[in-house]
Amino acid sequence: MEKQIRRIGVLTSGGDAPGMNAAVRAVVRAAGSKGIECIGIRRGWNGLINNDFVRMDTSSVSHIINKGGTLLYTARSEEFRQVSGQDKALSTCRLLGLDAIIAIGGDGTFRGALELSRRAAELNYTLTVAGIPATIDNDIGCSHYTIGFDTACNTAIECIDKLRDTMQSHERCSVVEVMGRHAGYLALHVGLSVGATAVLIPERKLDFERDVVEKIRRARLAGTTHYMVVIAEGVGGAMEISQRIKDEIGIDPRVTVLGHIQRGGSPSAQDRVTASRMGYAAVKAITEGAGNCIVATKSGQLVTLEMEEALKMKKDFDMGGYQILEALTNNCGRL
Ligand code: F6P
């Protein structure tokens, strides 16, 4: 017989992402609507290890849907990777009487959740875990979309639009590094949105002559005198790229690393709505006996995936988007 879910722990883990608060709110309120209690675990998995928690009710999540960051704090826990850390975490789960945990974060967060559930089973304790994908990198294999991505894109776009003003006035080249960890989703979307001269992503092996020099050359021949080169952090070396531009074609770029500013700010409508839908769906899934699962999106629709299977999934990078970018820049015409 399925174990009845009476109390859920909710946590945020890994790098924060705008919309995490909206997801916490949705979990707490959806659970409350079913008569299920929620405990907020603070500072990611460290909170379970260190007994760091807060009781939550519907009013404790009032006025947070519009806030960036995470009111539960977040962390990346080394200790939780060890069985000893997981055992400490399970002791807290037992102490608090948690039947389930909803973890909001990236794939590392979900792998930790699955290991915890397995370890619990070894100790004859049933702990259901559910994952909600939230990272500005959009790099989770099982989900087409992750909470925070849209807001981070918008933040980067706003910054680059400002940079463009000064680059245009001074007829300069800007090399802008955006986040994304090992993935180029953020760089591609931002590059498309700002009409970048060139976009460098880790999914495409760099050919400096083809991807940078030729792009700037064509833009110049089309009459442009300022250039925007967007580079994903996963490519690495914004300074080196800039230096090579200077050395090879005599243009002296200015380098901007947007950095953590991309992780902050009030979540966009897309992130608030996705977080609300995913939080609601995660509570529904675990209370309806879905078992360990991840709530994901597939072609814009919400899907609930078995966690172990979901963690094996990979998504194809949007190379079609890259082709569109190439076709739409002001350097695409034949010389
Ligand atoms: O995963 C989110 C992210 O912001 C990545 O884009 C980036 O590589 C990393 O986290 C930065 O991590 P930290 O906050 O530890 O500097």
Side-chain angles (χ1 to χ4, degrees):
M1 206 181 98
E2 269 162 25
K3 189 176 164 188
Q4 200 201 340
I5 305 288
R6 288 161 306 178
R7 196 170 294 118
I8 296 176
V10 59
L11 60 84
T12 51
S13 174
D16 63 352
M20 277 184 161
N21 277 328
V24 171
R25 172 183 180 272
V27 167
V28 173
R29 295 243 165 120
S33 74
K34 291 176 183 286
I36 298 168
E37 199 183 336
C38 257
I39 307 283
I41 310 296
R42 303 201 296 183
R43 301 176 173 87
W45 297 115
N46 284 341
L48 274 186
I49 292 172
N50 301 323
N51 235 305
D52 183 4
F53 65 90
V54 56
R55 291 185 75 175
M56 302 188 91
D57 58 23
T58 57
S59 55
S60 62
V61 289
S62 294
H63 316 302
I64 64 166
I65 195 167
N66 56 325
K67 298 223 159 53
T70 161
L71 89 163
L72 290 177
Y73 304 98
T74 184
R76 296 187 175 96
S77 174
E78 275 309 311
E79 195 178 353
F80 189 70
R81 289 172 194 263
Q82 318 300 323
V83 176
S84 56
Q86 292 163 15
D87 285 352
K88 281 192 205 165
L90 281 174
S91 299
T92 305
C93 292
R94 281 205 158 110
L95 172 70
L96 301 177
L98 299 182
D99 303 306
I101 290 184
I102 297 181
I104 303 165
D107 48 7
T109 304
F110 305 153
R111 283 181 214 288
L114 189 57
E115 279 177 30
L116 187 70
S117 177
R118 285 182 177 149
R119 181 69 185 146
E122 281 169 21
L123 303 172
N124 291 320
Y125 175 33
T126 305
L127 182 72
T128 306
V129 290
I132 295 180
T135 160
I136 65 161
D137 303 330
N138 201 25
D139 63 347
I140 297 181
C142 67
S143 193
H144 284 180
Y145 187 76
T146 63
I147 296 165
F149 179 68
D150 183 58
T151 308
C153 283
N154 290 334
T155 301
I157 290 164
E158 196 185 329
C159 294
I160 293 174
D161 284 348
K162 286 180 177 155
L163 269 176
R164 181 201 291 283
D165 291 344
T166 172
M167 291 303 132
Q168 196 160 12
S169 313
H170 286 264
E171 301 180 282
R172 277 177 171 156
C173 175
S174 206
V175 174
V176 187
E177 183 185 293
V178 299
M179 279 190 165
R181 205 163 51 145
H182 306 300
Y185 297 99
L186 205 50
L188 177 61
H189 278 244
V190 168
L192 254 173
S193 307
V194 301
T197 314
V199 176
L200 309 183
I201 51 173
E203 290 79 2
R204 188 173 144 102
K205 195 173 169 352
L206 177 67
D207 175 332
F208 191 76
E209 174 62 28
R210 177 196 65 192
D211 299 333
V212 182
V213 174
E214 182 64 10
K215 297 281 167 63
I216 294 175
R217 180 182 296 135
R218 283 174 178 260
R220 182 69 195 94
L221 288 167
T224 302
T225 55
H226 68 280
Y227 318 95
M228 187 62 69
V229 178
V230 174
I231 169 168
E233 67 172 336
V235 172
M239 290 306 291
E240 288 83 48
I241 295 288
S242 165
Q243 190 60 47
R244 278 188 77 176
I245 292 173
K246 188 174 178 189
D247 293 345
E248 295 191 22
I249 48 178
I251 290 170
D252 188 11
R254 294 294 182 271
V255 176
T256 307
V257 177
L258 292 183
H260 291 80
I261 199 163
Q262 295 160 98
R263 291 233 298 258
S266 181
S268 67
Q270 182 173 354
D271 285 325
R272 295 181 197 200
V273 171
T274 306
S276 301
R277 292 178 65 206
M278 283 183 168
Y280 177 84
V283 172
K284 188 167 185 288
I286 55 177
T287 53
E288 291 179 357
N292 296 337
C293 60
I294 295 177
V295 176
T297 68
K298 195 174 177 200
S299 307
Q301 299 299 310
L302 233 56
V303 287
T304 301
L305 306 168
E306 196 281 318
M307 190 177 263
E308 192 175 347
E309 289 307 309
L311 287 175
K312 290 182 200 151
M313 291 179 180
K314 297 208 180 331
K315 64 178 170 192
D316 293 330
F317 189 77
D318 180 19
M319 277 304 176
Y322 191 85
Q323 280 161 12
I324 292 171
L325 177 113
E326 294 226 292
L328 300 188
T329 43
N330 184 25
N331 53 20
C332 53
R334 282 181 168 278
L335 290 178

